[in-house]
């Protein structure tokens, strides 16, 4: 546990070297052990709540490294189209001011490696 916390702090304070594109909330849950890069700013889940992020959560509160609240990260369908095997959905990530609002669409990356 201490090793995970130390690695998370190191990744959140360093300069990003390797990033992974996150398009769905399931991807965000998969890379919950890493800080996120949103709009050129490294963000993290408030407190150590990334340790207890459940797979059924619908949103997660994010904050900057200074502790300022950034908003709630959510995933939702951007658009859908009909294809031969059924429907195909395009997913996107949103940053909202409250858990019930949709918010604005953002590009999210997971910081996997730093210089």
């Amino acid at each position: 546990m201490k090793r995970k916390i130390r690695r998370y702090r190191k990744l959140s304070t360093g300069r990003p070297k390797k990033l992974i594109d996150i398009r769905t909330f399931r991807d965000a849950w998969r890379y919950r052990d890493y800080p996120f890069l949103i709009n050129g700013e490294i963000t993290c889940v408030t407190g150590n709540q990334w340790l207890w992020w459940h797979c059924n959560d619908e949103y997660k509160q994010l904050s900057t490294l200074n502790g300022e609240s950034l908003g709630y990260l959510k995933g939702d369908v951007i658009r859908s189209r009909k294809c031969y095997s059924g429907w195909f959905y395009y997913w996107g990530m949103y940053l909202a001011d409250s858990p019930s609002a949709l918010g604005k669409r953002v590009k999210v990356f997971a910081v996997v490696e730093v210089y």
Side-chain angles (χ1 to χ4, degrees):
M1 182 75 92
K2 288 182 182 180
R3 184 178 293 163
K4 279 180 130 180
I5 292 172
R6 233 181 299 136
R7 182 177 56 120
Y8 192 86
R9 285 186 186 147
K10 178 185 174 192
L11 290 173
S12 62
T13 57
R15 195 175 73 190
K17 179 179 180 181
K18 184 177 178 185
L19 303 171
I20 293 180
D21 189 18
I22 295 178
R23 295 181 184 249
T24 65
F25 202 70
R26 181 174 287 167
D27 291 341
W29 181 79
R30 189 175 298 135
Y31 291 101
R32 67 188 178 277
D33 297 340
Y34 301 98
F36 297 135
L37 181 71
I38 299 174
N39 296 337
E41 186 175 11
I42 293 182
T43 61
C44 54
V45 177
T46 306
N48 285 336
Q49 294 297 317
W50 56 272
L51 292 170
W52 297 281
W53 188 341
H54 194 269
C55 62
N56 291 335
D57 288 345
E58 296 177 1
Y59 60 87
K60 209 56 166 168
Q61 187 175 11
L62 295 179
S63 64
T64 62
L65 296 177
N66 301 332
E68 301 171 9
S69 179
L70 193 63
Y72 294 87
L73 185 68
K74 304 168 76 173
D76 202 8
V77 175
I78 297 172
R79 67 185 174 103
S80 60
R81 68 177 173 87
K82 182 87 167 153
C83 60
Y84 293 114
S85 61
W87 286 90
F88 183 77
Y89 298 100
Y90 295 94
W91 290 85
M93 300 298 292
Y94 293 91
L95 194 63
D97 293 334
S98 68
S100 60
L102 184 59
K104 67 175 189 169
R105 189 159 176 253
V106 292
K107 192 74 174 155
V108 181
F109 297 98
V111 179
V112 177
E113 198 175 325
V114 292
Y115 285 107

